[in-house]
Amino acid sequence: MPFDRYERIAEKLFPSALRVYICSGGEPLLYRHIRDALKLAKSYATLTSMTSNGMLLDQDVSNWLVDDQSLHRLVLSFDGARENTLEQIRRGANYHTILENVKYLSSLKLKRKKAYPLIKIRYVVMKSNIKEFPEIFEIAARHGIGEVEVQYLNAPNASLFQQSLFNDRILAEETFSDARVKAKEFGIKLYLPPAIVQSKRVKKCFYPWQFCQIDTDGSIRFCYHSWPQRLGVFDDGFEKVWNGESYSKIRSSVDSEKPYYPYCRYCPTRLGEGVREAHDQALHPESYFIPGLEHLQIPFNKRQEENIRSFKELREKS
């Protein structure tokens, strides 16, 4: 994202924002303006959260994170308690490098008596890593990590859906039971997703009123599940989008049987985790697009292309 665009977003939205999440679609520490972006958010007194794979969390980064105190929560994407598991799931990751990086950051916070960033592991559970999941709490305690959050795999294709715990609910619940014991033993806060069971209760969704996602090109989305469907562009006027026709239709129909954004019919926020749609992203691919807004849609593979291009540009500059 061009930094001047980020500055305009900050000026417009950060005075009333509770939290700024810097994540989704790429590694934030690849962004050459990441330190300035966090410091700017801090100047507006908004909380900040950043999701990282930990590979670029070197000593230099750790030092400025602790010095600036501009990042309140670091969410570490770490999907395996064992070396082989993590490195098979996350291509290019190095298990020991990540843990050494986090250990240094934690020790630096302790040495300088600083509170931030708080460190949380986000562990996406699937068949290939679920059995070793209870081992993660000893690792977390040893490396100064105070929280572990669990998410189910949302598979983008049929091959990955075979890894989904939707297909082995008993294994999930048995492992979660063991995990609760281990979390308590090591003093780690544990956040587990709901059980994979059918539910008759329809939950309310507040995302269209409380949240918006602004991508690197300035495009605005109302939900993480709406990433292929933009509602507009920030530089065309935020109020124009936020108070516009599409947002109004989403808000008025989000909990109806015929929502304006079709995916709302299948979303786990509404239906819970007991339906296949909550775990199989490819089940209704057409539901990720709003008819009539074709001019604001992006192809499914664009984000992957953007990530490859960004990494190539960073390598060339270094």
Side-chain angles (χ1 to χ4, degrees), residues 194-237:
I196 306 174
V197 295
Q198 289 283 353
S199 175
K200 294 181 180 179
R201 183 169 62 90
V202 176
K203 292 184 277 188
K204 295 287 186 181
C205 174
F206 298 101
Y207 270 81
W209 291 270
Q210 296 180 339
F211 170 92
C212 78
Q213 179 182 350
I214 304 178
D215 217 330
T216 55
D217 62 356
S219 59
I220 297 172
R221 296 161 178 80
F222 78 97
C223 173
Y224 283 122
H225 292 294
S226 71
W227 64 266
Q229 179 64 71
R230 300 175 289 184
L231 296 184
V233 179
F234 179 84
D235 290 333
D236 290 340

Side-chain angles (χ1 to χ4, degrees), residues 50-66:
M50 181 175 74
T51 302
S52 171
N53 62 28
M55 284 295 293
L56 299 180
L57 189 68
D58 57 23
Q59 292 189 10
D60 179 60
V61 171
S62 291
N63 272 278
W64 65 252
L65 282 175
V66 174

Side-chain angles (χ1 to χ4, degrees), residues 151-215:
Q151 292 182 349
Y152 294 121
L153 174 69
N154 190 351
N157 55 57
S159 177
L160 271 179
F161 180 68
Q162 301 305 312
Q163 282 285 324
S164 172
L165 292 173
F166 182 79
N167 303 306
D168 201 336
R169 308 173 193 198
I170 293 176
L171 174 61
E173 282 307 299
E174 288 177 348
T175 307
F176 288 171
S177 179
D178 293 341
R180 291 184 187 98
V181 174
K182 286 291 184 180
K184 186 175 182 180
E185 176 185 344
F186 288 99
I188 305 295
K189 290 182 180 179
L190 173 60
Y191 302 92
L192 290 171
I196 306 174
V197 295
Q198 289 283 353
S199 175
K200 294 181 180 179
R201 183 169 62 90
V202 176
K203 292 184 277 188
K204 295 287 186 181
C205 174
F206 298 101
Y207 270 81
W209 291 270
Q210 296 180 339
F211 170 92
C212 78
Q213 179 182 350
I214 304 178
D215 217 330

Side-chain angles (χ1 to χ4, degrees), residues 20-231:
V20 175
Y21 298 88
I22 300 178
C23 60
S24 195
E27 169 56 50
L29 290 176
L30 283 170
Y31 185 43
R32 61 184 179 275
H33 300 298
I34 186 61
R35 184 177 185 179
D36 292 331
L38 288 168
K39 289 173 75 172
L40 183 57
K42 181 184 178 182
S43 73
Y44 285 96
T46 182
L47 298 173
T48 54
S49 177
M50 181 175 74
T51 302
S52 171
N53 62 28
M55 284 295 293
L56 299 180
L57 189 68
D58 57 23
Q59 292 189 10
D60 179 60
V61 171
S62 291
N63 272 278
W64 65 252
L65 282 175
V66 174
D67 286 342
D68 294 352
Q69 291 291 282
S70 56
L71 178 64
H72 297 99
R73 187 177 301 278
L74 174 66
V75 181
L76 185 69
S77 296
F78 200 80
D79 306 314
R82 302 172 189 170
E83 181 179 357
N84 288 343
T85 306
L86 177 79
E87 293 181 2
Q88 285 175 4
I89 291 173
R90 293 195 163 266
R91 301 294 176 86
N94 184 290
Y95 179 88
H96 295 291
T97 296
I98 296 167
L99 290 180
E100 283 301 312
N101 288 346
V102 174
K103 185 176 181 180
Y104 179 82
L105 173 60
S106 296
S107 64
L108 197 63
K109 284 170 51 186
L110 192 63
K111 180 180 178 181
R112 298 184 184 173
K113 298 180 181 180
K114 299 292 186 178
Y116 302 116
L118 302 174
I119 309 172
K120 175 169 72 173
I121 282 177
R122 178 173 291 148
Y123 195 109
V124 177
V125 287
M126 58 196 85
K127 286 186 177 181
S128 61
N129 69 6
I130 182 70
K131 291 182 180 179
E132 67 195 62
F133 172 60
E135 300 171 21
I136 202 68
F137 300 100
E138 181 180 1
I139 295 169
R142 198 164 63 240
H143 292 82
I145 300 168
E147 301 179 359
V148 173
E149 175 191 279
V150 178
Q151 292 182 349
Y152 294 121
L153 174 69
N154 190 351
N157 55 57
S159 177
L160 271 179
F161 180 68
Q162 301 305 312
Q163 282 285 324
S164 172
L165 292 173
F166 182 79
N167 303 306
D168 201 336
R169 308 173 193 198
I170 293 176
L171 174 61
E173 282 307 299
E174 288 177 348
T175 307
F176 288 171
S177 179
D178 293 341
R180 291 184 187 98
V181 174
K182 286 291 184 180
K184 186 175 182 180
E185 176 185 344
F186 288 99
I188 305 295
K189 290 182 180 179
L190 173 60
Y191 302 92
L192 290 171
I196 306 174
V197 295
Q198 289 283 353
S199 175
K200 294 181 180 179
R201 183 169 62 90
V202 176
K203 292 184 277 188
K204 295 287 186 181
C205 174
F206 298 101
Y207 270 81
W209 291 270
Q210 296 180 339
F211 170 92
C212 78
Q213 179 182 350
I214 304 178
D215 217 330
T216 55
D217 62 356
S219 59
I220 297 172
R221 296 161 178 80
F222 78 97
C223 173
Y224 283 122
H225 292 294
S226 71
W227 64 266
Q229 179 64 71
R230 300 175 289 184
L231 296 184

